[in-house]
């Protein structure tokens, strides 16, 4: 599942793009792909806590959900990414256990061919960022307030 922001070309051109990287999270997610058929990659435990990555030089640590897991895939039907807290994520009510100390939002991802990261979206209370090149380039896809 790929979430693509669309709108006027003028709006799209004004949206910032940032450099970054998925840091050690990339290795964690690639290891997860090797275990894609394990039960915990397809149930409400299909997430990794304390994952770090960088967007425009800023370090984020958050819980990252496997969006194509059987438990979480339905939670994204009709979901449009917008700034919200971790507790307001579509995954929070479904996850196996909660992290009461989580303050930096949440992230979710899907796999591409051979275990590459097809899409990785990070959401916090102020912004929504997305990368489709394994964290090298991030787009600010925060919806415009109307």
């Amino acid at each position: 599942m790929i979430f693509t922001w669309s709108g006027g070309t003028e709006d799209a051109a004004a949206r910032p793009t940032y450099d970054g990287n998925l840091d050690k999270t990339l290795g964690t997610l690639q290891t997860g792909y090797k275990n894609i058929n394990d039960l915990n990659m397809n149930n409400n435990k299909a997430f990794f806590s304390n994952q770090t990555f960088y967007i425009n030089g800023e370090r984020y640590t958050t819980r990252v959900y496997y969006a194509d897991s059987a438990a979480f895939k339905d939670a994204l039907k009709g979901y449009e990414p917008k700034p919200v807290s971790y507790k307001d994520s579509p995954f929070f009510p479904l996850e196996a256990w909660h992290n009461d100390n989580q303050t930096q939002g949440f992230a979710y991802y899907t796999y591409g061919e051979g275990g590459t990261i097809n899409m990785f979206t990070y959401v916090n209370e102020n912004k929504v960022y997305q990368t489709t090149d394994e964290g090298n380039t991030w787009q600010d896809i925060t919806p415009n307030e109307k």
Side-chain angles (χ1 to χ4, degrees), residues 2 7 9 16 31 39 46 52 58-59 67 76 83 86 89 91 115 139 142:
I2 298 174
T9 54
T31 299
L39 178 62
T52 60
E58 188 167 344
R59 181 177 185 254
L76 290 174
Y86 158 71
S89 82
F91 308 103
Q139 294 180 321
T142 309

Side-chain angles (χ1 to χ4, degrees), residues 1-4 66-69 72-81 91 108-112 117-121 130-132:
M1 179 179 294
I2 298 174
F3 296 96
T4 305
Y66 173 41
D68 278 339
S69 72
F72 297 134
K73 194 171 190 171
D74 284 346
L76 290 174
K77 287 183 180 173
Y79 172 73
E80 293 188 28
F91 308 103
Y108 56 96
Y109 69 100
T110 58
Y111 289 113
I117 306 307
N118 186 49
M119 177 276 305
F120 187 100
T121 302
Q130 189 172 77
T131 180
T132 56

Side-chain angles (χ1 to χ4, degrees), residues 2-124:
I2 298 174
F3 296 96
T4 305
W5 178 87
S6 63
T9 54
E10 186 176 312
D11 252 357
R15 294 196 172 271
T17 300
Y18 302 105
D19 290 333
N21 68 68
L22 284 176
D23 198 33
K24 294 178 183 176
T25 296
L26 183 60
T28 299
L29 301 183
Q30 289 170 337
T31 299
Y33 184 77
K34 293 175 187 173
N35 301 314
I36 197 76
N37 294 319
D38 290 356
L39 178 62
N40 287 343
M41 284 299 290
N42 291 288
N43 65 17
N44 63 348
K45 296 178 184 177
F47 55 84
F48 299 99
S49 294
N50 298 317
Q51 297 302 301
T52 60
F53 50 92
Y54 293 84
I55 303 170
N56 200 30
E58 188 167 344
R59 181 177 185 254
Y60 295 94
T61 303
T62 194
R63 181 166 282 188
V64 179
Y65 299 89
Y66 173 41
D68 278 339
S69 72
F72 297 134
K73 194 171 190 171
D74 284 346
L76 290 174
K77 287 183 180 173
Y79 172 73
E80 293 188 28
K82 62 183 179 189
V84 295
S85 70
Y86 158 71
K87 291 182 179 178
D88 293 323
S89 82
F91 308 103
F92 185 84
L94 305 171
E95 67 185 41
W97 63 89
H98 297 103
N99 178 353
D100 292 331
N101 297 320
Q102 180 62 41
T103 59
Q104 285 192 347
F106 62 96
Y108 56 96
Y109 69 100
T110 58
Y111 289 113
E113 189 174 324
T116 59
I117 306 307
N118 186 49
M119 177 276 305
F120 187 100
T121 302
Y122 171 64
V123 179
N124 65 31

